[in-house]
């Protein structure tokens, strides 16, 4: 699975650094480092939607407050 988080200026101001750190911690604590490729990129063109994230090419909008729920409800279900 490939997760890409926007780290452009707009998403940075909306908390992309925290989203990346949270995802790193969640991936590590779930022992999925070998299964998930987490990376960053600059502007994804959806600045109005918050922190832009793609999972295998599908767009999502995250915030630091909903990253944990997104990971548990969506990412982990892909591996169960």
């Amino acid at each position: 699975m490939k997760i890409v988080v926007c780290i452009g200026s707009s998403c940075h101001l909306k908390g992309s650094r925290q989203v990346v750190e949270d995802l790193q911690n969640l991936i590590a604590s779930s022992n999925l480092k070998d299964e998930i490729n987490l990376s960053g990129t600059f502007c994804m063109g959806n600045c109005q939607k918050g922190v832009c994230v793609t999972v295998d090419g599908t767009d999502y909008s995250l915030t630091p407050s909903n990253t944990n729920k997104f990971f548990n409800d969506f990412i982990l279900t892909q591996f169960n």
Side-chain angles (χ1 to χ4, degrees):
M1 175 180 286
K2 182 174 181 141
I3 302 174
V4 181
V5 180
C6 179
I7 55 171
S9 57
S10 180
C11 287
H12 175 75
L13 292 172
K14 294 174 183 173
S16 65
R17 180 178 178 171
Q18 186 64 51
V19 169
V20 169
E21 289 176 5
D22 290 348
L23 288 172
Q24 287 173 327
N25 292 332
L26 290 163
I27 291 166
S29 67
S30 301
N31 296 314
L32 293 172
K33 284 185 175 183
D34 293 334
E35 305 294 328
I36 297 175
N37 177 10
L38 177 64
S39 63
T41 189
F42 288 101
C43 189
M44 299 168 110
N46 290 317
C47 303
Q48 71 281 4
K49 292 187 177 182
V51 178
C52 299
V53 176
T54 61
V55 178
D56 291 335
T58 302
D59 295 334
Y60 298 92
S61 178
L62 297 182
T63 64
S65 63
N66 72 7
T67 302
N68 196 358
K69 180 173 176 29
F70 175 80
F71 187 85
N72 290 325
D73 292 350
F74 180 74
I75 303 299
L76 284 183
T77 61
Q78 305 296 311
F79 295 97
N80 291 330

